[in-house]
Amino acid sequence: MLDTVGAKITRLDIAHDDYAGKRGLSDAVAMYEGGSFDGAFKRPAMQRVGWNDGSGCSVYIGKQTSTRQLVVYEKGREQGARDGDPLASWVRWEARFYGRNRVVPVAALEAPWEYMVGEYPALDWISAVMSVMRSAKARATANFQGAMRHCKRQYGGLLGFLASVADDLTDLGDLVSSFLAKRGARPRWLLENPHGWAVRGQIVPSLRSAALSAV
């Protein structure tokens, strides 16, 4: 259909998510220094950015002003995961293609991983199985963990006081539900994630397990 209307792709992002972090930023840098991303005439520019507070770093291979750019970054940490969180290992390899001085074929939408590896042969280890739902669930889980940390930091004292005056967890739940919770409200990060609500069934059991372990 896109071909029939003469559609033109001005930008295409193709990503591979390595949830276990088997290949990270250091691998990307080593591949770059070994010439794996060299062009026909020269080596692309590389930039490493980020902070040392655990919030995540990124490696940019190629400038945004060129026709393509490879970005490798700590996606789990970007989403809020920190040391100790399972998703802290999540690394995303993202190839960005720009249709400035070249044609990005519409066919790339049908087999994005093949196009990505075709442009970057050094990435031939990338799996063709890319699950959008899995990525969305992982993002929602990381956002939830970040929200819990923020809540503890900002309102931990108040919640601790409520827990001390409540007779049991049921009473504490009633206090939170009656006086603190907004009826029918959902956090923005959950509403904007099409599969975010699916993590609800995973979060509650994990919270109960953590609570029992702490007793």
Side-chain angles (χ1 to χ4, degrees):
M1 182 184 67
L2 294 175
D3 284 332
T4 60
V5 297
K8 177 183 178 182
I9 297 178
T10 56
R11 173 171 170 169
L12 175 63
D13 294 357
I14 304 173
H16 169 76
D17 288 309
D18 182 354
Y19 296 98
K22 293 182 179 180
R23 292 181 174 85
L25 275 62
S26 59
D27 295 287
V29 173
M31 294 168 69
Y32 169 83
E33 294 177 344
S36 297
F37 305 117
D38 289 3
F41 305 104
K42 65 178 181 178
R43 179 166 297 180
M46 184 188 74
Q47 180 185 29
R48 180 162 183 160
V49 299
W51 302 94
N52 62 352
D53 61 353
S55 58
C57 295
S58 304
V59 170
Y60 293 83
I61 299 175
K63 296 182 178 180
Q64 192 174 5
T65 53
S66 63
T67 57
R68 66 178 186 175
Q69 180 185 48
L70 180 65
V71 185
V72 184
Y73 58 104
E74 296 172 310
K75 184 66 176 180
R77 294 182 181 277
E78 180 203 59
Q79 294 296 315
R82 294 295 181 267
D83 293 340
D85 294 337
L87 289 173
S89 301
W90 178 12
V91 176
R92 173 168 289 182
W93 293 69
E94 183 173 289
R96 302 172 180 175
F97 302 101
Y98 304 96
R100 298 187 184 94
N101 301 312
R102 60 176 293 180
V103 175
V104 179
V106 175
L109 300 177
E110 298 178 343
W113 58 90
E114 293 181 5
Y115 187 74
M116 182 177 183
V117 175
E119 291 286 330
Y120 292 102
L123 305 183
D124 58 359
W125 47 267
I126 287 180
S127 171
V129 181
M130 301 181 185
S131 173
V132 175
M133 181 173 288
R134 184 182 178 190
S135 176
K137 288 182 179 180
R139 185 168 66 252
T141 301
N143 286 339
F144 173 79
Q145 292 170 340
M148 290 291 287
R149 277 192 294 271
H150 176 75
C151 181
K152 182 178 181 179
R153 184 169 57 251
Q154 296 293 327
Y155 310 109
L158 172 61
L159 292 174
F161 170 73
L162 293 178
S164 69
V165 299
D167 293 332
D168 53 35
L169 290 178
T170 301
D171 287 345
L172 177 59
D174 289 341
L175 284 172
V176 173
S177 176
S178 300
F179 300 105
L180 298 179
K182 294 181 180 180
R183 294 292 181 181
R186 295 289 184 271
R188 182 175 178 180
W189 58 263
L190 186 63
L191 293 175
E192 294 179 348
N193 190 325
H195 302 292
W197 192 245
V199 305
R200 180 177 179 271
Q202 304 169 10
I203 290 173
V204 174
S206 65
L207 284 177
R208 288 174 177 168
S209 176
L212 290 174
S213 299
V215 173

